[in-house]
Amino acid sequence: MRIFQFKQESGKQITKFDSNFVMSRITQTDKAAHIGCMHLAEGGVIGYHQAVVPQLLLIVSGEGWVRGEANEYIKVHCGEAVLWDKDEWHETKTEAGLMAIVIESEELDTSLLMPLEVIV
């Protein structure tokens, strides 16, 4: 399990085409990807299971706890992303609720994300 951030501070200012915004890059893939939005209410859980393909979970609101195979929960907040490798056991839970975008693909390039913490 690896934890990254995509907060405004880790992005790049874009001014092309008279624009004025910050872009935090997430991933790039040449292979098919499934992208979904997960809504976990108070006390919600994505149960402990193996990742079928690499999975990138981007917390866009709220906060929660994630774990990999180590059975140690790590707190995650809005603007942070968690990557689980294929076949890695993992779980996500929240007390207050959270919304997350999940990107699943055989090929997920996370080199564009800023590492927050590396969990071995």
Side-chain angles (χ1 to χ4, degrees):
M1 179 173 74
R2 288 170 277 169
I3 300 178
F4 302 92
Q5 63 178 323
F6 59 99
K7 297 175 184 174
Q8 181 175 343
E9 301 81 39
S10 65
K12 177 183 176 185
Q13 184 71 36
I14 305 295
T15 57
K16 193 172 186 175
F17 308 117
D18 293 323
S19 299
N20 184 18
F21 66 95
V22 174
M23 169 73 81
S24 296
R25 302 250 182 219
I26 303 296
T27 189
Q28 184 172 327
T29 180
D30 291 326
K31 296 193 177 187
H34 173 265
I35 302 169
C37 185
M38 299 177 163
H39 304 268
L40 282 75
E42 290 181 12
V45 64
I46 302 169
Y48 193 61
H49 67 284
Q50 275 184 295
V52 177
V53 294
Q55 295 181 3
L56 184 63
L57 184 77
L58 298 108
I59 311 301
V60 296
S61 70
E63 62 185 26
W65 298 87
V66 295
R67 72 173 173 137
E69 296 176 353
N71 200 26
E72 177 185 344
Y73 286 94
I74 307 293
K75 191 163 192 171
V76 289
H77 306 87
C78 180
E80 295 176 353
V82 184
L83 175 69
W84 290 287
D85 293 322
K86 181 178 180 175
D87 296 325
E88 186 174 3
W89 285 87
H90 64 286
E91 180 179 35
T92 302
K93 64 182 183 176
T94 180
E95 295 171 4
L98 69 80
M99 182 172 65
I101 300 295
V102 64
I103 303 172
E104 300 171 304
S105 177
E106 287 291 340
E107 177 186 66
L108 289 178
D109 178 1
T110 57
S111 65
L112 301 172
L113 284 166
M114 171 145 326
L116 182 64
E117 184 175 353
V118 177
I119 309 297
V120 180

